[in-house]
Amino acid sequence: MKMTPNNVIIACDFASTTRLFEFLKLFGERRPYLKIGMELFYAAGPEVVRELKQEGFPIFLDLKLHDIPNTVKKAMAVLSHLDIDMCNLHASGTSEMMRAAVEGLTREDGTRPLLLAVTQLTSTSEQRMHDDLLISGKMEQVVIHYALNAKNAGLDGVVCSPLEARPVKQACGNSFLAVTPGVRFADSLNQDQVRVTTPRMARQMGSDYIVVGRPITAAADPLMAYLRCLDEFNGSV
Ligand code: C5P
C-alpha cells in the first residue's frame, strides 16, 4: 500500500495547551505534522513540545530566530535537544548567523532538524521593503538572493509564498524545500490571507509542505478537513 506523505503541517495557533489537546483528540491515533508558533510556545514553554514529541507528533517549531550569530547558535543547540523535526530563522540575520545556526543545531551524532529560512515575510509589501527597510530591487530578486544565501549556509529550504516556490527552486535546486502557508480550499473564505492557493495549486506551484491553520482548526470537522488537504495536496483527488 502506498503511504501518504506527512506533508500537510497543521498550524496550531491556540492560546492554551488545553485547547490544543482537545483539538488533537479528534485525530485519534493519527499523528499529523504540527506547527507550534510563538503564541503557544511562549504560553506553554518547551514542555508542550516534549509532550507532543513523546506522543509521536512531528513538530515544526516556528520561532523565526534572528540575533547575533553566537546567540542563535546557542539557542539552536537548545532546540535540537528538544528533538523537533523542523525550525526556522530570518535570512536577514546574515549568512554568518545562518551558518552559526546550522552548527548549533547539529547534534553530536551529526543529525539535526530541518532548518528553514524566512526570506521576506509575506506581510511585507515591495513598497514597504523599499521605504521602510531601504532594500531596493524587486521582491522576487530579494527572496531569491536570501534563499541562495540560506542554501549556501547549509540550510534545507525556505518558508515562502507558493508564488515564490518555483523561482526559489529554479535558483536553489529542486531538493531545496519550499514550505508554504496561505492555503485555502476552493470553496472557503480567505479570512485575512490575501494571496491564497488551494492545496492542489500549491503542489503544482512546487511546494513540498503546506502549512494550514484555520481551514483545519476552525472547520466543523477538522479531521475531515485535514484528510481533504492531504488528498488534494498529494494528488489523489
Ligand atoms: O490560519 P492560516 O491557515 O492562515 O494559518 C497560517 C499559518 O502560517 C499561521 O500560523 C501563520 O502565522 C503562518 N504564516 C503565514 N504567512 C507567512 C508565514 C507564516 O500565514 N508568511
Side-chain angles (χ1 to χ4, degrees), residues 47-119:
E47 206 38 51
V48 66
V49 176
R50 288 196 192 96
E51 206 172 328
L52 291 168
K53 282 303 300 178
Q54 220 153 39
E55 292 192 19
F57 292 94
I59 302 292
F60 170 18
L61 192 56
D62 179 17
L63 298 181
K64 302 186 180 73
L65 274 67
H66 186 172
D67 208 317
I68 59 170
N70 189 51
T71 302
V72 169
K73 179 177 170 178
K74 289 182 173 169
M76 285 293 182
V78 176
L79 296 187
S80 81
H81 287 117
L82 269 183
D83 197 27
I84 51 169
D85 300 272
M86 191 185 275
C87 58
N88 59 2
L89 47 65
H90 276 284
S92 55
T94 75
S95 300
E96 191 191 351
M97 188 203 80
M98 290 194 273
R99 280 193 295 274
V102 172
E103 249 180 69
L105 201 59
T106 306
R107 305 181 186 106
E108 276 169 18
D109 64 1
T111 63
R112 64 167 173 80
L114 291 172
L115 181 58
L116 308 173
V118 175
T119 53

Side-chain angles (χ1 to χ4, degrees), residues 11 13 35 64 121-122 159 181-184 193 211-215:
D13 296 322
K35 180 172 89 73
K64 302 186 180 73
L121 289 168
T122 47
V159 182
V183 173
R184 292 292 178 268
Q193 295 281 14
V211 176
V212 189
R214 288 159 294 177

